[in-house]
Amino acid sequence: MSELNENPFVLLDGSQWSHSELLERMQDDDFYYGYLGKASLSSSSVKLLNQSPKAYQSYLNKGSEESSALTNGKLVHMLILEPHKVQDTFEIVDVKSKATKTFKEAEASNPSKAVVTADEFRNAQNMMNALMGCKQVEDIITNCTYEPAGFGYVAGIPFRAKADMIHANGSIYDIKTTSDIESFRYSAKKY
């Protein structure tokens, strides 16, 4: 382990970072998803590379497009693990449809935020409340470190990672949502 702390990590852009400096900076989402998103690989970027180098290059140039399901999953995740970030990350609009002028104006005036309807926000809160009300989950949630970051080499290539939760007993937990509960057990195994 001392070797990790003494030798600098060399990223894909050639920059060098100490392990402690990287771990500290990785707590900032802009650094983790922005700079490190291009200067290192992750499981998500490897999936894109496996799809095609063009898909990975497109992600580097344009970022990823988020579907409604992905945005709602991110909201549930944040309500559970990082509720203090919700207000800065999401704009909640009290409309019945995303096709409304009000919703589209909210998207245009909040380019750095994900815009969701009030109904989507309430649904996400209901999911969070159901999870938090489960006795088995209570022990997990209260005895975990949230969003711990890690960094290392895989086959000599710099990789970054974040776990949703690491329990005091060493277990790793990942929060997943689904739009198809009937297929969830299959997608849970897959992902």
Side-chain angles (χ1 to χ4, degrees):
M1 188 63 132
S2 62
E3 185 179 314
L4 258 184
N5 294 322
E6 294 172 13
N7 295 328
F9 280 101
V10 180
L11 303 184
L12 296 175
D13 64 359
S15 66
Q16 296 185 11
W17 298 76
S18 73
H19 189 248
S20 60
E21 185 179 18
L22 264 179
L23 289 178
E24 183 179 324
R25 293 287 308 273
M26 288 170 77
Q27 299 309 308
D28 174 24
D29 284 347
D30 290 336
F31 180 81
Y32 183 85
Y33 294 106
Y35 173 72
L36 274 185
K38 294 182 178 185
S40 65
L41 294 182
S42 66
S43 63
S44 298
S45 58
V46 169
K47 287 176 193 171
L48 289 170
L49 277 169
N50 280 334
Q51 184 180 336
S52 75
K54 188 176 181 178
Y56 178 65
Q57 187 63 49
S58 177
Y59 161 76
L60 290 177
N61 294 335
K62 301 175 193 169
S64 62
E65 289 199 22
E66 289 209 8
S67 67
S68 183
L70 209 56
T71 299
N72 290 329
K74 185 176 175 181
L75 177 57
V76 171
H77 181 277
M78 197 168 281
L79 282 168
I80 295 166
L81 300 177
E82 303 172 296
H84 58 282
K85 292 183 178 181
V86 171
Q87 189 173 357
D88 293 333
T89 308
F90 291 89
E91 184 69 28
I92 297 119
V93 183
D94 195 7
V95 295
K96 293 292 178 198
S97 168
K98 292 182 177 186
T100 63
K101 180 181 176 184
T102 303
F103 188 88
K104 293 189 184 309
E105 286 172 349
E107 284 183 314
S109 62
N110 295 287
S112 64
K113 290 185 174 184
V115 181
V116 296
T117 67
D119 282 343
E120 288 174 315
F121 185 72
R122 280 189 290 277
N123 286 340
Q125 284 182 311
N126 289 340
M127 284 187 252
M128 181 223 24
N129 289 333
L131 183 70
M132 300 302 248
C134 178
K135 184 66 179 147
Q136 291 90 340
V137 172
E138 185 180 352
D139 173 63
I140 294 168
I141 295 284
T142 57
N143 292 303
C144 278
T145 303
Y146 299 140
E147 298 286 326
F151 198 89
Y153 288 110
V154 176
I157 299 170
F159 267 79
R160 75 189 199 289
K162 275 191 182 183
D164 284 351
M165 299 178 287
I166 298 182
H167 194 273
N169 69 12
S171 298
I172 298 172
Y173 293 93
D174 192 40
I175 295 174
K176 294 293 181 203
T177 57
T178 184
S179 58
D180 181 4
I181 194 67
E182 298 300 321
S183 300
F184 182 73
R185 65 181 170 158
Y186 303 110
S187 59
K189 286 180 183 178
K190 180 179 176 183
Y191 296 111

